[in-house]
Amino acid sequence: MVPSPETDGPSSSPSLRHPYLILSVDGGGVRGLYAAKLLEMLEASLSAQGFQRFISNVRLFAGTSTGAILALGLASGLAPAELVALYRDHAEQIFPSRCRWFRQAVGLVRARYSNTALKRILQQTFDAALNRKDPRLGDIPRKVLVPTFELAGVEQNVVLWKPKFFNNFEFNRGRPNPDLEQPVVDVALRTTAAPTYLPVYQGFIDGGMVANNPSMAALAQALDADTGGQALQNVRLFSLGTGENRNFIRGQSMNWGDVQWLCHKVFPDLVLDGMMEVADYQCRRILNVGRSQDSATGAYFRLAPFLPRSIALDDASATEALLRFAESVPSDPASKGLWLQAIEWWKNALG
């Protein structure tokens, strides 16, 4: 077993016998249900093989947008099954499927959805999980990292937009961390404020604008002497996708301008998917040096199976399909090998 989360930080002495485990979860809207179900299935499979409560061994949770809801929930003590229920029971309230085509038209001039229902659901969830009213990041017992994007931040007395990575480590740049006083629900609403889908929240928008796959950000936080305080060889990082859509654009030499690019239906996915692959590339090369890039014995592993069909991040009508797709991963010829490798990776990481 790895040391308890309370030992995190620069004072902890890295040991290969006790690796620093990181769980990173991508953004993806309602597809967070898919990731939550995969975690529930991993937990069941590992428990059946004698590795009880594998998530209790994670030292740092990182998540962007919907992945942040999962990361914050897990760090607060919620089980994967509880997070599956959260998405299954409330997705329709957050992204009402009625009049969906009308909402897409409205999205040309304003956000398609209100964040009122999401805020209420998250408030109830985290108040109950942490057993207090309006809990703060400092109340979360496990370490967590959440990317967002601030539209008018201040850097050296200059106002400019910039990424913001909320975390609950004790110190930040040698000083007490002000993020500890940030309300958990506010942080979650900031990182899930996807442009065109949900309104800007407190001057912040979706963390997917900077790190839809927060694996590399999590690795940097783990290596930071001020926070994780780990040696590179001590880190083990598991990256979890929320179901990959099979997007593509045909053509060899399109002479497109602003209208063609911005109005193309997969353009937002192109931007987000590209950034996710960059983080995956970097983590593989940094952490799996000298090993097969998909090795179950490496320091880094990514589980991100392709979905049988594309599912939009606001398609609440697809919850049952997402559950079926996740349940089929261990037996699907296209993903079975990756699934078995993921289980072996966790067994190796847990020792």
Side-chain angles (χ1 to χ4, degrees):
M1 299 290 287
V2 299
S4 66
E6 287 73 19
T7 63
D8 289 347
S11 61
S12 60
S13 99
S15 165
L16 290 177
R17 294 187 303 107
H18 300 302
Y20 189 91
L21 277 165
I22 303 172
L23 174 59
S24 171
V25 188
D26 294 358
V30 73
R31 297 198 304 270
L33 173 60
Y34 181 83
K37 186 62 180 179
L38 290 178
L39 285 173
E40 182 186 20
M41 293 161 55
L42 280 171
E43 183 175 61
S45 180
L46 288 165
S47 293
Q49 299 179 59
F51 295 86
Q52 303 295 324
R53 295 182 57 78
F54 81 106
I55 288 177
S56 66
N57 293 282
V58 173
R59 304 279 292 283
L60 173 61
F61 297 91
T64 298
S65 195
T66 197
I69 294 176
L70 296 179
L72 289 165
L74 293 168
S76 298
L78 294 176
E82 293 176 291
L83 292 166
V84 168
L86 175 69
Y87 281 82
R88 184 191 60 225
D89 297 344
H90 299 295
E92 182 65 33
Q93 299 169 47
I94 299 167
F95 297 123
S97 57
R98 59 185 176 82
C99 304
R100 190 158 172 256
W101 293 109
F102 173 74
R103 291 179 184 277
Q104 289 181 338
V106 169
L108 294 172
V109 294
R110 58 172 295 174
R112 300 178 192 180
Y113 306 95
S114 165
N115 57 14
T116 302
L118 177 59
K119 183 173 185 177
R120 172 177 50 79
I121 292 163
L122 292 177
Q123 197 73 65
Q124 294 171 349
T125 298
F126 288 105
D127 284 2
L130 296 167
N131 195 30
R132 65 184 62 212
K133 182 70 174 176
D134 196 22
R136 311 289 156 150
L137 280 184
D139 296 322
I140 295 179
R142 316 284 292 282
K143 296 298 183 283
V144 65
L145 176 71
V146 176
T148 61
F149 192 82
E150 190 173 10
L151 296 177
V154 177
E155 187 76 28
Q156 297 180 348
N157 296 320
V158 177
V159 178
L160 74 169
W161 60 24
K162 61 189 180 75
K164 165 64 180 174
F165 295 86
F166 288 100
N167 68 79
N168 62 345
F169 286 92
E170 185 177 355
F171 294 100
N172 180 36
R173 298 179 182 177
R175 300 178 180 178
N177 185 3
D179 289 356
L180 296 176
E181 296 303 318
Q182 293 291 327
V184 175
V185 172
D186 284 348
V187 172
L189 289 170
R190 291 165 185 167
T191 190
T192 54
T196 76
Y197 291 95
L198 292 165
V200 174
Y201 187 80
Q202 295 178 342
F204 290 84
I205 58 173
D206 197 296
M209 298 299 102
V210 291
N212 206 44
N213 172 354
S215 297
M216 192 63 189
L219 176 59
Q221 201 74 64
L223 298 179
D224 190 322
D226 204 27
T227 53
Q230 299 299 306
L232 181 63
Q233 66 269 23
N234 199 49
V235 174
R236 301 292 181 271
L237 198 164
F238 187 86
S239 176
L240 180 62
T242 55
E244 301 281 348
N245 285 328
R246 300 173 187 265
N247 290 322
F248 58 89
I249 298 175
R250 293 189 185 279
Q252 296 293 314
S253 58
M254 294 88 77
N255 188 17
W256 289 359
D258 292 348
V259 173
Q260 292 96 330
W261 278 112
L262 295 178
C263 292
H264 198 287
K265 65 179 182 179
V266 299
F267 182 73
D269 291 329
L270 183 154
V271 176
L272 295 178
D273 289 354
M275 288 191 295
M276 288 194 296
E277 294 303 319
V278 169
D280 180 50
Y281 176 89
Q282 292 169 327
C283 287
R284 287 182 191 278
R285 271 68 193 174
I286 293 172
L287 288 169
N288 282 358
V289 176
R291 298 181 182 273
S292 165
Q293 296 305 307
D294 291 317
S295 174
T297 61
Y300 170 80
F301 193 90
R302 179 162 171 81
L303 177 63
F306 283 103
L307 294 171
R309 66 175 175 85
S310 292
I311 294 178
L313 65 83
D314 64 334
D315 189 0
S317 67
T319 53
E320 292 304 317
L322 286 166
L323 290 172
R324 289 197 309 272
F325 294 160
E327 290 166 352
S328 71
V329 166
S331 58
D332 183 354
S335 54
K336 180 179 180 179
L338 188 65
W339 175 257
L340 293 175
Q341 281 188 316
I343 293 173
E344 288 303 309
W345 187 91
W346 275 105
K347 289 164 64 177
N348 288 324
L350 295 171

